[in-house]
Amino acid sequence: REHTPHAKPNHLPNLRRRLIGKDTITLIICYGMFHGGMIQILAGMWEVYRGNIFGGCAFTSYGGFWMGFALFEILMVITELEPPSKDGKVVWLCVWGVFTLLNLIGTLNANRVVQFVFA
């Protein structure tokens, strides 16, 4: 491969592989699925029960995000599915960025702590 002075190698995936081994990734996936996902979905249900529809929507949506992300990682390990293109991941994360921005706009009348959560 020809080296050009303007091309910078991407060392981040290699760094991630060295810092997070296969034995550690299962812990991270489980934590993301249950704490980041299921607990947030439960918190969202409790917020709706208390009458806070905005909090319920935010908690359950982000809980679904983390559950979906963990399931995606699990499927990539246990099946022979082809990983999605980088463009697909970018679009997926941009959609969540827009959702977060809309949540931030929804907090403009709330206190600064709630605004900080979505900023």
Side-chain angles (χ1 to χ4, degrees):
R1 183 165 82 159
E2 185 177 316
H3 178 70
T4 59
H6 299 293
K8 293 185 178 183
N10 187 357
H11 296 293
L12 191 58
N14 293 331
L15 179 65
R16 185 179 68 177
R17 277 189 214 107
R18 281 184 283 177
L19 292 177
I20 303 172
K22 286 192 177 210
D23 55 339
T24 308
I25 197 72
T26 54
L27 172 68
I28 294 170
I29 290 172
C30 292
Y31 188 77
M33 180 173 270
F34 287 97
H35 183 76
M38 188 171 62
I39 299 301
Q40 284 193 14
I41 289 173
L42 290 172
M45 286 190 256
W46 288 318
E47 287 296 310
V48 170
Y49 177 77
R50 291 182 54 221
N52 183 1
I53 302 303
F54 176 79
C57 178
F59 274 119
T60 55
S61 295
Y62 288 114
F65 168 82
W66 286 112
M67 293 283 284
F69 185 74
L71 179 62
F72 167 76
E73 291 294 329
I74 290 168
L75 289 176
M76 289 295 106
V77 171
I78 66 171
T79 66
E80 295 180 12
L81 293 174
E82 290 291 321
S85 69
K86 289 182 182 179
D87 293 340
K89 286 182 181 179
V90 168
V91 168
W92 181 56
L93 292 173
C94 283
V95 167
W96 280 101
V98 169
F99 178 75
T100 301
L101 176 65
L102 292 173
N103 279 325
L104 175 64
I105 292 169
T107 65
L108 293 179
N109 290 332
N111 64 44
R112 298 283 185 223
V113 173
V114 175
Q115 291 176 6
F116 178 74
V117 168
F118 292 102

